[in-house]
């Protein structure tokens, strides 16, 4: 039958076999399913009701040896049922806080939201799933006979509690002195029962504990009988005294009050000890186990902390207020460090350092204390402080939920490390356990992280017992890392041997050599390729938003100020663009310039001819300007400046300015201006990505600028005399009857915001900061090889590697004198080339 059953299962489809294997995995790890559901329920609900079970998981269930007890699972089941009933009861609408649900549902500090009794849809779905998972695990434990395995220890403790209750109930009828002695004796007996000098766990030595408890309970009952006899005799003697002197009512009330206080004190002591002693015994057995399955999960804990660190760096905005749209790169580029980001990074980094110190010192007690502090601290901060900082509920903060889930994984690994105990020996880096390409590249990547290798070496030296100095310690670490890399290469040479006298294959030559050639060429020409492609391929058109022109005579008050915005800034259509290109047919310089621009890069600004500001020059300045104009021997300057404003997130404001000297003529003692200012107006302006807008000379006819007419308009009214200037451009492309100015703006494409930090350096900046620095490292790799042949070309490094591991081993075992001797041997080996040759030759 067994063979037929096995054949039946083997003959089933693979999908069915996969489902069956997944079910068996679920059954084998049903407690992990319960933990996951409880944590998921708390992540979604984020209330005080669901907070209790996750804390119990990390501080009770996961720390229990060999598995959580029946009491924990019954506590979880009963607590979940009570939570469901409480949530259901508070869903009724007659409670005052349920009348304004839409207004208070997003408030993190609303009391019903904190407690978890708010009215909402699906308030009990995850609790029912949690209860279902708990009952599923209970059924599995019952099937395997593991549900009632700790009933003996519980029954013995329950028997002791029953005896104490019976003795207390019988003593309530005695006098005050008898009650005091009995209660104090009971409290003392309870202390003696629960505080054995070196009591071990009940689950490990249940038979001896039961016998000791029964012996002590009989002894306590015998003492209580003797005490009751003595108190009875004392009460008989006292009755004769009372018959002589009658007590007052006040004294009787005070005596009864003392009796009640003694009862309350004894009851409080008893209940406190019933709670405190099991907890104390639980952690005592955890720190001082009779046996321990030593394991090492520090690497997994470090990876969990690293993932949390990455989540903080890339999602720091979730831990601050009003920073949902912030970006860490933009904040740091502005020399601003967000407070929430700084606090979270320092806390996370500090916990990683403390965890490393505990791992090196191998102190389970410190790890237990650190676990308790972290569990309570993280839960208090995440569910009570963080919602107030971010002003949104934890259930609405996805990044915080992800961070908390990874931290729960860390708590589980930490509890497993505490339960099993730290390893007695920590030898080298976890990446150096095997010698292959994967470990080689991972180890070299580990060493490339800035300050990580140095920080690890210093921390190991601080928290490890050794006789070596810091420099000697770093020397050993560097030698070990170098020998490990050589060992990996020698193992790869053994796996893939190269026959003697055979030339290298083309696959290797063109694969490795060709890749290096392409890489070097790309590095050399990277700035030119980058600056060319970033604007032609990934460039963004940055059109002007505002164009302003100002004309000033001789440094006095500007005579003309005008700006064009919105509808006055026109784009060229395809027909207009083709006509624009056709007008420069035969002009090679202009056509070469226009090749870099499309119709979307050209904007026509139509400026009103009338100045938008009155000419409010003061009379003294006006007289002085007239005198300057009358001086025909001197030149008078006209300054024309323009400002082109674009999107500030993509490009800064571009400005330009030109000055001209105009000649003046006099006739019959009167000053007469020519109404035309010749060659003063730049018709075409180039707006690059920087702040300097320049005129385009390639598009001008014979490199001559346009002419404009200037006239002063005077308006006399009751309010006074008003004057302003009117300008008109001659030779406009789009001729109009009104006075106006036309200006063509050619906008250069700008780099995307994601690559703006590189494009801001420019071509010369990229060559100086990137190419030369990389070239220096490449030159160091290709030169100076001859100086390291003695230490690089070692045929067999097994003996040196074993010497390094021997140093680690004797250090962990406390043989510090031997550590000094082996270190001196290692140093002598590197100082003696002949000895190094003997040690590293092939066997």
């Amino acid at each position: 039958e067994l063979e037929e059953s096995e054949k039946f299962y083997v003959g089933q489809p693979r999908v069915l076999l996969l489902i069956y294997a997944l079910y068996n995995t679920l059954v084998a790890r049903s407690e992990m399913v319960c933990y996951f559901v409880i944590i998921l329920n708390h992540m979604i609900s984020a209330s005080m009701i669901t907070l209790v079970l996750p804390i119990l998981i990390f501080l009770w269930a996961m720390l229990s040896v060999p598995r959580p007890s029946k009491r924990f699972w019954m506590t979880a089941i009963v607590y979940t049922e009570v939570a469901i009933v409480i949530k259901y009861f508070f869903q009724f609408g007659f409670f005052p806080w349920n009348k304004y649900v839409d207004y208070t549902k997003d408030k993190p500090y609303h009391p019903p939201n904190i407690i978890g009794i708010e009215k909402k849809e699906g308030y009990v779905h995850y609790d029912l799933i949690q209860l279902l998972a708990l009952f599923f695990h209970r059924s599995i434990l019952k099937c395997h006979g593991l549900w009632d395995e700790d009933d003996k220890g519980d029954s013995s403790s329950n028997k002791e509690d029953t005896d104490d209750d019976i003795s207390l109930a019988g003593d309530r009828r005695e006098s005050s002195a008898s009650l005091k002695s009995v209660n104090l004796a009971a409290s003392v007996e309870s202390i003696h029962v629960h505080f054995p000098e070196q009591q071990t766990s009940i689950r490990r030595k249940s038979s001896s504990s039961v016998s000791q408890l029964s012996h002590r309970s009989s002894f306590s009952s015998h003492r209580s009988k003797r005490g009751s006899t003595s108190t009875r005799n004392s009460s008989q003697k006292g009755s004769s005294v009372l018959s002589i002197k009658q007590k007052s009512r006040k004294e009787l009330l005070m005596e009864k009050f003392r009796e009640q206080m003694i009862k309350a004190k004894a009851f409080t002591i008893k209940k406190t000890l019933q709670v405190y002693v099991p907890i104390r015994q639980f952690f005592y057995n955890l720190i001082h186990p009779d046996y321990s399955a030593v394991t090492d999960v520090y690497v997994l804990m470090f990876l969990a902390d690293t993932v949390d660190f990455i989540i903080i760096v890339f999602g720091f905005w979730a831990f601050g207020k009003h920073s949902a749209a912030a970006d860490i790169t933009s904040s740091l580029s502005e020399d601003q460090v967000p407070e929430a980001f700084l606090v979270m990074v320092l806390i996370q980094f500090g916990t990683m350092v403390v965890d490393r110190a505990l791992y090196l010192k191998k102190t389970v007690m410190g790890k237990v204390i650190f676990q308790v502090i972290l569990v309570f601290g993280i839960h208090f901060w995440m569910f009570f402080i963080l919602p107030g900082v971010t002003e949104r509920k934890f259930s609405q903060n996805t990044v915080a939920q992800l961070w908390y889930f990874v931290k729960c994984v860390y708590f589980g690994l930490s509890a497993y490390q505490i339960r099993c105990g730290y390893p007695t020996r920590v030898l080298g880096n976890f990446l150096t356990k095997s010698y292959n390409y994967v470990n080689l590249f991972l180890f070299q990547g580990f060493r490339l992280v800035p300050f990580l290798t140095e920080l690890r070496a210093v921390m190991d030296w601080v928290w490890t017992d050794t006789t070596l100095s810091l420099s000697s310690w770093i020397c050993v670490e560097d030698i070990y890392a170098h020998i490990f890399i050589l060992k990996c290469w020698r193992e790869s040479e053994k796996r893939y041997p190269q026959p003697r006298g055979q030339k290298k294959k083309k696959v290797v030559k063109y694969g490795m050599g060709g890749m290096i050639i392409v890489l070097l060429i790309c590095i050399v020409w990277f700035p030119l390729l980058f600056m060319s492609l970033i604007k032609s391929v990934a460039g963004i058109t940055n059109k002007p938003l505002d164009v302003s022109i100002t004309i000033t005579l001789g440094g006095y008050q500007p005579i003309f100020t005008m700006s064009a915005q919105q509808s006055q800034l026109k784009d060229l259509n395809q027909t207009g663009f083709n006509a624009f290109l056709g007008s420069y047919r035969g002009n090679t310089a202009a056509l070469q310039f226009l090749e870099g621009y499309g119709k979307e890069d050209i904007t026509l600004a139509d400026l009103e001819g009338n100045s938008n500001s009155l000419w409010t020059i003061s009379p003294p300045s006006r007289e002085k300007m007239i005198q300057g104009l009358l001086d025909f021997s001197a030149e008078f300057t006209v300054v024309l400046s323009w400002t082109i404003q674009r999107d500030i997130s993509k490009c800064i404001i571009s400005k330009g300015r030109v000055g001209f000297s105009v000649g003046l003529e006099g006739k019959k003692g009167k000053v007469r201006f020519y109404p035309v200012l010749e060659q003063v107006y730049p018709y075409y302006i180039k707006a690059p990505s920087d702040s300097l807008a320049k005129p385009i000379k390639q598009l001008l006819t014979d490199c001559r600028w346009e002419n404009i007419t200037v006239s002063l308009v005077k308006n006399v009214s009751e309010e006074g005399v008003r004057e302003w200037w009117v300008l008109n451009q001659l030779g406009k492309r789009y001729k109009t009857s009104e006075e106006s100015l036309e200006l063509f703006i050619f906008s250069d494409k700008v780099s995307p915001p994601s690559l703006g930090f590189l494009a801001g350096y420019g071509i010369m900046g990229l060559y100086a900061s990137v190419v030369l620095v990389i070239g220096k490292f490449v030159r160091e790799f290709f030169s100076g090889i001859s100086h390291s042949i003695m230490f690089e070309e070692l045929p067999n490094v097994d003996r040196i590697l074993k010497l390094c591991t021997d140093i680690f081993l004797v250090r962990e075992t406390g043989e510090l004198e031997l550590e000094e001797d082996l270190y001196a041997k290692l140093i002598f080996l590197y100082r003696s080339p002949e000895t190094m040759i003997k040690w590293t030759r092939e066997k």
Side-chain angles (χ1 to χ4, degrees), residues 124-175:
V124 81
H125 289 170
Y126 287 93
D127 293 285
L128 294 176
I129 296 174
Q130 176 178 318
L131 188 62
L132 182 64
L134 291 172
F135 276 116
F136 173 70
H137 178 66
R138 177 174 174 267
S139 66
I140 292 173
L141 291 180
K142 284 193 171 184
C143 290
H144 292 82
L146 300 174
W147 180 252
D148 298 325
E149 64 173 354
D150 53 350
D151 280 351
K152 294 182 180 181
D154 294 340
S155 63
S156 62
S157 60
N158 292 334
K159 181 179 179 181
E160 178 191 355
D161 296 339
T162 305
D163 293 339
D164 293 338
D165 293 338
I166 292 174
S167 62
L168 288 173
D171 290 338
R172 290 193 184 100
R173 302 186 185 95
E174 302 297 332
S175 62

Side-chain angles (χ1 to χ4, degrees), residues 777-788:
F777 285 104
V778 173
R779 180 59 58 85
E780 290 180 357
F781 178 77
F782 279 89
S783 62
I785 300 177
S786 59
H787 303 290
S788 60

Side-chain angles (χ1 to χ4, degrees), residues 531-543:
M531 297 303 295
S532 175
L533 295 177
I534 197 174
K535 294 184 178 181
S536 61
V537 178
I540 300 175
T541 302
N542 195 10
K543 296 183 178 180

Side-chain angles (χ1 to χ4, degrees), residues 788-803:
S788 60
I789 291 177
M790 175 180 171
F791 305 106
E792 295 288 345
E793 300 299 329
L794 302 178
N796 189 356
V797 295
D798 291 344
R799 293 180 180 178
I800 305 177
L801 188 63
K802 186 178 182 302
L803 180 58

Side-chain angles (χ1 to χ4, degrees), residues 294-520:
V294 174
T295 187
D296 188 358
V297 293
Y298 173 75
V299 176
L300 299 178
M301 290 190 293
F302 179 77
L303 290 178
D305 277 336
T306 304
V307 172
D308 269 340
F309 191 85
I310 294 173
I311 292 173
I312 293 173
V313 171
F314 290 97
F316 81 101
W317 50 267
F319 304 100
K321 183 178 179 181
H322 304 308
S323 56
D327 184 13
I328 185 63
T329 56
S330 61
S331 299
L332 295 179
S333 63
E334 298 173 358
D335 296 332
Q336 296 179 357
V337 180
E339 296 180 358
F341 169 75
L342 180 62
V343 171
M344 287 297 299
V345 166
L346 292 180
I347 291 176
Q348 184 65 37
F349 192 77
T351 56
M352 295 171 70
V353 172
V354 173
D355 209 5
R356 179 68 180 178
L358 295 174
Y359 174 71
L360 294 173
K361 299 300 290 185
K362 307 179 186 64
T363 167
V364 179
M365 179 181 292
K367 184 64 176 176
V368 171
I369 297 173
F370 187 62
Q371 174 88 343
V372 173
I373 294 174
L374 267 188
V375 167
F376 281 104
I378 292 298
H379 283 85
F380 180 77
W381 188 85
M382 293 295 292
F383 300 100
F384 295 97
I385 303 300
L386 182 64
V389 174
T390 59
E391 293 187 353
R392 58 182 180 271
K393 297 171 63 176
F394 177 82
S395 57
Q396 299 173 349
N397 196 336
T398 306
V399 178
Q401 288 178 328
L402 180 61
W403 186 90
Y404 173 73
F405 181 77
V406 177
K407 183 59 71 174
C408 288
V409 175
Y410 166 81
F411 286 147
L413 294 171
S414 181
Y416 180 70
Q417 183 72 79
I418 294 172
R419 191 171 72 237
C420 296
Y422 279 113
T424 56
R425 296 180 180 90
V426 180
L427 303 178
N429 196 313
F430 72 97
L431 294 174
T432 61
K433 303 303 180 184
S434 58
Y435 311 103
N436 49 44
Y437 281 123
V438 176
N439 287 68
L440 174 62
F441 294 140
L442 289 178
F443 182 72
Q444 289 182 335
F446 172 80
R447 290 172 58 84
L448 288 176
V449 178
F451 301 106
L452 184 59
T453 303
E454 295 80 4
L455 184 62
R456 176 183 176 274
V458 175
M459 287 194 300
D460 290 358
W461 180 75
V462 170
W463 289 303
T464 304
D465 296 332
T466 181
T467 59
L468 301 181
S469 62
L470 180 59
S471 59
S472 301
W473 180 285
I474 296 176
C475 179
V476 173
E477 291 289 333
D478 185 65
I479 292 175
Y480 179 71
H482 178 66
I483 295 300
F484 169 75
I485 294 173
L486 292 180
K487 176 66 175 176
C488 291
W489 286 118
R490 298 300 171 262
E491 290 295 325
S492 65
E493 291 173 358
K494 292 179 181 179
R495 294 190 186 98
Y496 310 103
Q498 175 71 23
R500 293 186 60 186
Q502 183 178 356
K503 64 180 182 180
K504 292 292 183 181
K505 297 180 180 180
K506 293 185 178 180
V507 176
V508 177
K509 296 181 68 176
Y510 287 100
M512 181 182 297
M515 185 174 63
I516 294 175
I517 292 173
V518 172
L519 183 61
L520 292 177

Side-chain angles (χ1 to χ4, degrees), residues 27-220:
V27 171
R29 298 294 180 184
S30 56
E31 72 278 1
M32 301 303 296
V33 177
C34 295
Y35 299 156
F36 174 75
V37 174
I38 290 173
I39 293 172
L40 182 63
N41 184 20
H42 182 53
M43 288 172 57
I44 295 174
S45 301
S47 60
M48 294 179 63
I49 293 180
T50 58
L51 179 62
V52 177
L53 288 182
I55 294 179
L56 292 181
I57 286 175
F58 300 129
L59 298 182
W60 183 7
M62 288 188 173
L63 296 178
S64 300
V65 179
R67 65 185 61 87
S69 62
K70 174 184 175 182
R71 181 174 297 177
F72 169 77
W73 296 116
M74 287 303 300
T75 302
I77 292 172
V78 173
Y79 187 85
T80 304
E81 293 174 348
V82 173
I84 292 174
V85 173
I86 292 175
K87 288 184 178 181
Y88 172 75
F89 178 73
F90 284 100
Q91 295 301 309
F92 292 104
F94 54 79
F95 291 101
W97 57 81
N98 289 339
K99 297 179 181 179
Y100 308 100
V101 177
D102 296 334
Y103 176 71
T104 60
K105 65 180 181 179
D106 294 332
K107 290 187 175 181
Y109 280 168
H110 187 55
N113 295 341
I114 297 176
I115 300 174
I117 56 176
E118 74 278 10
K119 184 177 181 180
K120 62 180 181 180
E121 295 292 335
Y123 63 96
V124 81
H125 289 170
Y126 287 93
D127 293 285
L128 294 176
I129 296 174
Q130 176 178 318
L131 188 62
L132 182 64
L134 291 172
F135 276 116
F136 173 70
H137 178 66
R138 177 174 174 267
S139 66
I140 292 173
L141 291 180
K142 284 193 171 184
C143 290
H144 292 82
L146 300 174
W147 180 252
D148 298 325
E149 64 173 354
D150 53 350
D151 280 351
K152 294 182 180 181
D154 294 340
S155 63
S156 62
S157 60
N158 292 334
K159 181 179 179 181
E160 178 191 355
D161 296 339
T162 305
D163 293 339
D164 293 338
D165 293 338
I166 292 174
S167 62
L168 288 173
D171 290 338
R172 290 193 184 100
R173 302 186 185 95
E174 302 297 332
S175 62
S176 172
S178 174
L179 178 64
K180 183 175 181 180
S181 62
V182 169
N183 284 319
L184 292 178
S187 63
V188 172
E189 288 299 326
S190 63
I191 295 173
H192 282 295
V193 169
H194 293 280
F195 277 105
E197 293 181 357
Q198 292 296 332
Q199 182 182 355
T200 57
S201 179
I202 294 175
R203 63 178 179 272
R204 298 172 182 167
K205 298 181 180 180
S206 58
S207 60
S208 61
S209 301
V210 171
S211 61
Q212 291 176 5
L213 290 175
S214 61
H215 174 72
R216 289 176 180 173
S217 62
S218 62
F219 178 72
S220 62

